[in-house]
C-alpha cells in the first residue's frame, strides 16, 4: 500500500492533522533549499537541478513510497558516485543512468527484494558512509577556501594539489566560509534560535552580506553558474541509445544499490522516531518512480534523506502531506526568489556540506566500533572505509560485503561439531539409567548447519573412528537446522565408508526438511542404512 493511501486509511489526512504537517513541510522545504543546491554543485550539476530533483522526487516518494514521513531528494551519499559519472559521461549520461537506476529500483520493489538490503552488515554501512563523509569534506576545500585550482586525479592526488594551493587561498572567501560554519554550529545551541534551521540562517545572512557589499574574490552561484531560471522545468526526454545504456549499466546499478540502501536506512530511522512501520518493497517502488521521473524534468538521482526526514518528524510531520508541502515550498521559492540566489556564496554552501560530511561520517560511532567491535568486524570496517576513499564506493561495498560473508561462513563452519556420545551422556540425554543403554552402539551427535563450508569439519569429526563389520553406528541429526548438497555429499561419503565394511548406520532425529532431503538423496535405499525418528531401540526395556 503506498504512503498516501495508507495515511488516508489511518485518518492522518483529516483536517485536524493539516496544520502540523503544513508547518513541518515548510520548514523542511526551507532546509532542503541550500542542501539541494549544495549537493547538485558537488555532484557536478547546476544548482537548479538539485531543486528540480527535490521537487519531483520528493513529491513522488511522498505519494508512492512505503514510509508516510520519508522526505526524498538529492543527498550527500550520492556525491561521490554522481560526480564521477558526470566527469566521465556528462550530465546527460548521469540523467540516463538515473533513469535506468529508477527502473532497477522499481523492479527490485516489484520482486519484493526490499528485505535483502538488510543483509548488508553494519561495519560495511558505517565504513562507506564514513568514507563518503571524508570525500565530501575534502571535496569542498576548493570552495571553502576559494582556491584557484580544480583538483584532478585520485583522492590522494586531489588532497596534495589543494594543500599545495593553500597559500593562494582567498582571504575573503575563507572568511565567508568560517563565519558560515560558525553560524551552522552556534545557532542550534542558542535556545532562542535553536528551532531555526542553521543552514537557512547561514544562507540568508551570508547571501545578504554579499548582496549588499559585493565583495571581490567570493565565488557565488551567479558568478560560476549564472542566475537560477525563474520557472519550473519542462519535460525533456534524454537521447537514449543502446550503446549509451550499455556504457551506463554499471553506474546505473551503483545508483540503484546506494539509493536502495540509503532510502531504507532513512525509513528505518523514521520508524524509530515516529513509531510507524514502513513497507520496504513499496519504498523501493516509490524511489524507482522518483528516479525515473526526476531526470525527465532536469533532475538527477534522489533517495531518502535522513536529515530532512528527521527534521520533518521533529516538527510534527506524520503524513505524506508534509512531504508534498515541502515540494510546494521549493516551487514557490523558485518562482519568486530565484533572482536572489545569484549572490549565494559557494563558501557558505561548502560550510553546509562540511557539517553534512561530519554528520555522515558518524565519527564517534566509527571510533567506538574500532575500539570495541570484534577484530574481524574492525577489519571489514577499515577495509570498506579505505576502499571508499581511495578506490571506489561500489568496489568498497562489494568487497566489504564479500569479506563479511566469507567471515560469516567461516564462523558458521566453525560452529559445526561432531561429538561421540558415551553411554552416560546418552542416558543423561534421555533421562534413563545408564544400565539400560545397549552396549556396542556408537552414537555421534552432529550440531550445526551442514553446508558447503562445514563439510571438512563434519568429515574430521569421524576421522578417528574405524567402523567394523556388525557394528551399529547412530548419527543424530536433531541439531542440524539445514543441509545443502555439499553437506548431503559429505554425509553420504561417511555413510558409505561405514556400510562398506559391514556396519549398520542409523540416521536419527532429522527435522522434516533435512529428512526430506536425505530421502531425496537416496540414502535410505543404501544397504545397511535406516532413517529413524526415535532412538528408543537403543535402550533395554525398563525392568
Amino acid at each position: 500500500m503506498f504512503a498516501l493511501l495508507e495515511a488516508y486509511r489511518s485518518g492522518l489526512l483529516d483536517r485536524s492533522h493539516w496544520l502540523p504537517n503544513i508547518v513541518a513541510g515548510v520548514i523542511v522545504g526551507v532546509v532542503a533549499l541550500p542542501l539541494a543546491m549544495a549537493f547538485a554543485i558537488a555532484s557536478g550539476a547546476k544548482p537548479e537541478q538539485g531543486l528540480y530533483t527535490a521537487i519531483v522526487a520528493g513529491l513522488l516518494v511522498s505519494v508512492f513510497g512505503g514510509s508516510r514521513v520519508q522526505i526524498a531528494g538529492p543527498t550527500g551519499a550520492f556525491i561521490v558516485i554522481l560526480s564521477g559519472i558526470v566527469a566521465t559521461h556528462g550530465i546527460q549520461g548521469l540523467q540516463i543512468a538515473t533513469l535506468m537506476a529508477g527502473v532497477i529500483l522499481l523492479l527490485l520493489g516489484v520482486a519484493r527484494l526490499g528485505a535483502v538490503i538488510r543483509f548488508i552488515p553494519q561495519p560495511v554501512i558505517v565504513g562507506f558512509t564514513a568514507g563518503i563523509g571524508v570525500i565530501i569534506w575534502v571535496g569542498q576545500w576548493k570552495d571553502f577556501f576559494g582556491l584557484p585550482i580544480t583538483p584532478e586525479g585520485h583522492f590522494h592526488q586531489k588532497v596534495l594539489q589543494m594543500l599545495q594551493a593553500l597559500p593562494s587561498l582567498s582571504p575573503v572567501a575563507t572568511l565567508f566560509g568560517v563565519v558560515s560554519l560558525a553560524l551552522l554550529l552556534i545557532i542550534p545551541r542558542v535556545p532562542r534560535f535553536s528551532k531555526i534551521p542553521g543552514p537557512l540562517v547561514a544562507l540568508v545572512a551570508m547571501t545578504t552580506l554579499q548582496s549588499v557589499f559585493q565583495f571581490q574574490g567570493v565565488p557565488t552561484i551567479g558568478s560560476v553558474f549564472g542566475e537560477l531560471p525563474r520557472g519550473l522545468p519542462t519535460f525533456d526526454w534524454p537521447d537514449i541509445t543502446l550503446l549509451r545504456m550499455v556504457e551506463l549499466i554499471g553506474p546505473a546499478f551503483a545508483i540503484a544499490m546506494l539509493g536502495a540502501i540509503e532510502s531504507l536506512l532513512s525509513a528505518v530511522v523514521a520508524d524509530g522516531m515516529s513509531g510507524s512501520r514502513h513497507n520496504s518493497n513499496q519504498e523501493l517502488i516509490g524511489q524507482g518512480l522518483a528516479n525515473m521521473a526526476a531526470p525527465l524534468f532536469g533532475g538527477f538521482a534522489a533517495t531518502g534523506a535522513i536529515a530532512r526526514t528527521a527534521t520533518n518528524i521533529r516538527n510534527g510531520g506524520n503524513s505524506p502531506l508534509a512531504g508534498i508541502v515541502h515540494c510546494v515550498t521549493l516551487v514557490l521559492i523558485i518562482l519568486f526568489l530565484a533572482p536572489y540566489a545569484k549572490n549565494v556564496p559557494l563558501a557558505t554552501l561548502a560550510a553546509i556540506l562540511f557539517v553534512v560530511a561530519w554528520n555522515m561520517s558518524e565519527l564517534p560511532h566509527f571510533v567506538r566500533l574500532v575500539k570495541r567491535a570484534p577484530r574481524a568486524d574492525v577489519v571489514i570496517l577499515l577495509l570498506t572505509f579505505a576502499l571508499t576513499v581511495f578506490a571506489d564506493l561500489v568496489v568498497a561495498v562489494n568487497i566489504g560485503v564479500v569479506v563479511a560473508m566469507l567471515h560469516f561462513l567461516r564462523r558458521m563452519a566453525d560452529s559445526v561439531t561432531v561429538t561421540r556420545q558415551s553411554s552416560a551422556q546418552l542416558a543423561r540425554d534421555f533421562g534413563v539409567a545408564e544400565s539400560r543403554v545397549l552396549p556396542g552402539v556408537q552414537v555421534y551427535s552432529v550440531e550445526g548447519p551442514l553446508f558447503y563450508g562445514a563439510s571438512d569439519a563434519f568429515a574430521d569429526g569421524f576421522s578417528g573412528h574405524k567402523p567394523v563389520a556388525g557394528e551399529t553406528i547412530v548419527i543424530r541429526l536433531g541439531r542440524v537446522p539445514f543441509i545443502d548438497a555439499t553437506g548431503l555429499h559429505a554425509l553420504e561419503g561417511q555413510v558409505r565408508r561405514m556400510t562398506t565394511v559391514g556396519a549398520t548406520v542409523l540416521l536419527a532425529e532429522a527435522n522434516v526438511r533435512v529428512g526430506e532431503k536425505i530421502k531425496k538423496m537416496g540414502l535410505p535405499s543404501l544397504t545397511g542404512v535406516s532413517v529413524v525418528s526415535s532412538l528408543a531401540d537403543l535402550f533395554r526395556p525398563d525392568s
Side-chain angles (χ1 to χ4, degrees):
M1 184 190 314
F2 56 84
L4 193 62
L5 180 57
E6 192 270 340
Y8 172 76
R9 292 182 178 179
S10 301
L12 295 174
L13 299 183
D14 293 344
R15 186 168 297 180
S16 59
H17 293 284
W18 285 8
L19 183 58
N21 281 285
I22 290 174
V23 172
V26 171
I27 292 173
V28 174
V30 170
V31 171
L33 174 67
L35 293 176
M37 292 193 295
F39 292 146
I41 293 171
S43 299
K46 295 180 179 179
E48 64 267 23
Q49 291 181 294
L51 298 176
Y52 299 158
T53 303
I55 293 168
V56 177
L59 178 63
L60 291 174
V61 169
S62 291
V63 174
F64 297 106
S67 170
R68 63 174 184 251
V69 293
Q70 180 86 284
I71 302 295
T75 66
F78 271 138
I79 289 176
V80 179
I81 290 179
L82 304 191
S83 58
I85 296 173
V86 172
T88 306
H89 303 282
I91 191 65
Q92 190 173 77
L94 170 59
Q95 291 175 323
I96 295 173
T98 300
L99 180 58
M100 294 168 62
V103 174
I104 295 170
L105 286 167
L106 182 64
L107 294 176
L108 289 175
V110 171
R112 307 185 69 80
L113 295 177
V116 175
I117 305 300
R118 301 175 193 166
F119 297 128
I120 298 179
Q122 182 73 2
V124 175
I125 293 174
V126 174
F128 82 71
T129 52
I132 290 171
V134 170
I135 294 173
I136 293 173
W137 175 59
V138 172
Q140 296 308 303
W141 289 3
K142 175 183 181 296
D143 290 333
F144 188 88
F145 296 109
L147 301 179
I149 63 165
T150 301
E152 297 178 347
H154 296 290
F155 176 81
H156 64 283
Q157 295 171 321
K158 293 179 180 179
V159 171
L160 183 60
Q161 292 169 28
M162 286 189 284
L163 289 175
Q164 292 173 340
L166 275 179
S168 303
L169 61 78
S170 166
V172 182
T174 303
L175 182 61
F176 265 73
V178 171
V179 173
S180 300
L181 188 58
L183 289 173
L184 289 165
L185 298 177
I186 293 172
I187 289 298
R189 292 173 170 78
V190 179
R192 184 177 298 179
F193 303 105
S194 60
K195 292 187 177 181
I196 303 176
L200 176 64
V201 175
L203 183 72
V204 172
M206 306 314 292
T207 301
T208 302
L209 191 64
Q210 178 64 16
S211 299
V212 172
F213 294 100
Q214 292 295 316
F215 292 101
Q216 297 298 314
V218 179
T220 64
I221 285 179
S223 65
V224 176
F225 300 99
E227 291 191 12
L228 294 186
R230 191 170 181 173
L232 298 179
T234 56
F235 180 87
D236 183 23
W237 183 261
D239 183 19
I240 301 177
T241 63
L242 181 59
L243 177 61
R244 206 82 192 275
M245 291 175 65
V246 172
E247 290 176 347
L248 293 168
I249 189 65
F253 267 101
I255 293 172
M257 292 302 101
L258 183 56
I261 294 170
E262 190 78 4
S263 63
L264 294 179
L265 282 177
S266 179
V268 170
V269 172
D271 287 350
M273 294 182 66
S274 65
S276 60
R277 187 173 182 180
H278 76 281
N279 182 320
S280 58
N281 296 313
Q282 186 61 47
E283 181 63 23
L284 292 183
I285 291 174
Q287 296 290 341
L289 294 173
N291 281 281
M292 290 169 64
L296 302 180
F297 291 92
F300 51 88
T303 186
I306 296 176
R308 275 159 277 173
T309 299
T311 301
N312 178 35
I313 297 169
R314 290 194 192 104
N315 287 279
N318 64 358
S319 80
L321 178 61
I324 295 170
V325 171
H326 137 265
C327 300
V328 173
T329 302
L330 290 175
V331 169
L332 294 176
I333 290 173
I334 289 178
L335 293 178
F336 298 105
L337 300 178
Y340 299 100
K342 67 180 181 181
N343 290 315
V344 173
L346 296 186
T348 297
L349 297 181
I352 292 172
L353 288 181
F354 274 10
V355 176
V356 170
W358 170 262
N359 293 334
M360 282 192 64
S361 67
E362 294 185 303
L363 185 59
H365 183 46
F366 185 95
V367 173
R368 186 165 60 252
L369 282 179
V370 171
K371 289 182 177 179
R372 301 181 182 178
R375 184 179 303 175
D377 289 328
V378 173
V379 171
I380 293 169
L381 170 69
L382 296 178
L383 177 65
T384 306
F385 172 78
L387 288 173
T388 300
V389 173
F390 295 103
D392 178 79
L393 174 63
V394 179
V395 171
V397 173
N398 288 339
I399 291 180
V401 170
V402 169
V403 172
M405 289 176 61
L406 292 175
H407 172 62
F408 171 76
L409 292 175
R410 184 184 68 81
R411 294 291 300 273
M412 290 288 286
D414 290 344
S415 70
V416 175
T417 58
V418 179
T419 307
R420 184 172 180 176
Q421 293 190 286
S422 64
S423 297
Q425 290 173 322
L426 201 61
R428 262 196 317 272
D429 279 359
F430 287 88
V432 299
E434 186 176 347
S435 59
R436 290 185 56 197
V437 180
L438 294 176
V441 178
Q442 304 295 330
V443 181
Y444 287 88
S445 177
V446 183
E447 184 170 351
L450 279 183
F451 69 109
Y452 62 90
S455 58
D456 287 344
F458 175 76
D460 290 343
F462 294 95
S463 60
H465 177 234
K466 294 182 179 180
V468 295
E471 183 181 33
T472 298
I473 303 169
V474 178
I475 301 177
R476 301 180 67 185
L477 301 171
R479 295 182 177 179
V480 176
F482 65 87
I483 188 169
D484 69 358
T486 307
L488 286 167
H489 179 73
L491 178 60
E492 182 182 13
Q494 293 301 318
V495 168
R496 288 184 180 277
R497 184 175 72 89
M498 296 167 182
T499 56
T500 299
V501 299
T504 299
V505 177
L506 301 181
L507 302 177
E509 303 173 326
N511 64 42
V512 175
R513 289 185 299 175
V514 173
E516 288 177 352
K517 291 179 180 179
I518 288 175
K519 291 177 183 178
K520 189 174 182 180
M521 191 72 176
L523 292 184
S525 64
L526 298 177
T527 302
V529 178
S530 298
V531 176
V532 298
S533 58
S534 171
L535 294 180
D537 292 341
L538 294 183
F539 303 98
R540 296 188 180 95
D542 190 0
S543 56

